[in-house]
Amino acid sequence: MALLPSISQQHLQLWTTCRRKFRHTFLDEINLPVNYELQEKLTLGKQFHLLLQQYQLDIDVTEILGSNSELHKWFQSYLNHPPQMIRGERFCEYKCTVQFAGTSITAIYDLVILGQTSAQIIDWKTHQNPIPLEILADHWQTKLYLFILQETTSYAPEQISMTYWFANASPSQKTVEINYTAHQHQTTQQALRKILPEMAADNSYLPLPLDSKPCQYCEFLHRCQAEVTHSNLPEFNLDDVPEVVI
């Protein structure tokens, strides 16, 4: 397969989770219907991101807030328990691309703050529950966002951090901060040098075993089940069909 025009954290995360789903999602571009409840949550999450972006830019947010009680609750929670942020120039919905190993790799940040001696990435989450530090630290969003910011600025890895803020968490669990290191940068660099050539060379996109945890709630589970069922059918041979006597 030729690499996609640009690789993002979504591509990398899905590649390391399930290559078959990667193919269905990004290469076959199969868009299955999303249930109403999930679609409502996704739409609300996008509205909240836009709301905070406008708030950071000192743009009136009254129109976005409207009469939606959930948006009002999240926004009030943000005002009452905002993440600690460094002083510096702020960039919302900040898109950044780096060329690495002949591939364009892109990140789109909710908020980036560039200070005199440090830089901070802020990411807003509207998940129902906060995500533990160890899971966030190993997720490709964290790894790639920190990596790209270091590659495209003059900050040392130890001068960069990433803060996740969770709208639905209790005050004591609102934020998770991850400090970057040179070792993490080197580890991510090595991982990219391994994964990107794999993406370019692989044409099989083998599925996971159907009892794997990622399969439990995968929208493509029935497709994979059908493929397995089909592969287990006996091979058809015309000579085995008995002749019908008329």
Side-chain angles (χ1 to χ4, degrees):
M1 161 195 105
L3 274 177
L4 296 161
S6 184
I7 299 297
S8 69
Q9 59 98 356
Q10 288 95 339
H11 294 106
L12 292 165
Q13 189 65 33
L14 200 47
W15 179 264
T16 54
T17 302
C18 176
R19 297 188 183 188
R20 178 58 57 86
K21 186 173 182 178
F22 175 93
R23 190 191 81 180
H24 288 331
T25 303
F26 298 118
L27 304 181
D28 301 336
E29 296 183 329
I30 299 174
N31 296 311
L32 298 179
V34 178
N35 70 64
Y36 177 79
E37 183 180 354
L38 178 57
Q39 187 59 56
E40 283 283 291
K41 290 180 179 179
L42 293 173
T43 300
L44 198 61
K46 290 178 181 178
Q47 290 176 329
F48 184 67
H49 276 72
L50 180 60
L51 186 157
L52 286 188
Q53 288 163 17
Q54 292 196 2
Y55 176 74
Q56 293 296 329
L57 297 171
D58 293 324
I59 299 174
D60 183 65
V61 297
T62 305
E63 184 176 348
I64 299 178
L65 275 172
S67 59
N68 189 293
S69 60
E70 196 74 2
L71 284 180
H72 276 272
K73 184 185 75 172
W74 289 346
F75 187 51
Q76 192 59 50
S77 179
Y78 183 83
L79 296 178
N80 293 338
H81 308 284
Q84 290 188 348
M85 292 183 279
I86 65 172
R87 293 181 178 272
E89 191 170 4
R90 299 185 179 190
F91 301 89
C92 288
E93 199 64 11
Y94 183 65
K95 183 177 181 179
C96 197
T97 300
V98 65
Q99 293 293 322
F100 183 83
T103 304
S104 293
I105 308 176
T106 299
I108 301 178
Y109 303 93
D110 286 347
L111 174 66
V112 171
I113 308 174
L114 302 180
Q116 290 188 347
T117 59
S118 61
Q120 184 182 17
I121 301 164
I122 306 288
D123 195 84
W124 303 300
K125 296 295 185 189
T126 56
H127 293 73
Q128 191 62 36
N129 297 302
I131 302 172
L133 170 62
E134 58 272 16
I135 294 178
L136 287 172
D138 193 49
H139 197 283
W140 267 107
Q141 180 178 14
T142 304
K143 293 188 288 189
L144 194 66
Y145 279 25
L146 289 166
F147 178 83
I148 289 180
L149 190 60
Q150 199 284 321
E151 287 285 313
T152 55
T153 64
S154 58
Y155 298 101
E158 286 76 11
Q159 294 176 303
I160 301 173
S161 65
M162 184 166 183
T163 301
Y164 287 95
W165 185 88
F166 293 93
N168 285 305
S170 63
S172 63
Q173 296 180 305
K174 280 289 182 190
T175 59
V176 175
E177 183 171 339
I178 298 172
N179 295 310
Y180 204 33
T181 67
H183 175 72
Q184 290 170 333
H185 192 75
Q186 184 180 24
T187 300
T188 300
Q189 191 176 61
Q190 292 171 346
L192 288 171
R193 290 193 184 281
K194 177 179 182 295
I195 291 173
L196 294 177
E198 289 178 350
M199 283 184 172
D202 193 350
N203 289 309
S204 58
Y205 310 104
L206 295 174
L208 297 172
L210 293 180
D211 58 353
S212 300
K213 187 174 180 179
C215 298
Q216 293 177 11
Y217 304 103
C218 178
E219 63 270 34
F220 299 113
L221 175 60
H222 294 303
R223 294 179 64 92
C224 291
Q225 287 175 330
E227 291 174 9
V228 170
T229 301
H230 178 76
S231 66
N232 289 336
L233 290 175
E235 185 177 352
F236 178 76
N237 188 336
L238 184 60
D239 293 334
D240 295 334
V241 179
E243 182 178 355
V244 178
V245 179
I246 302 177

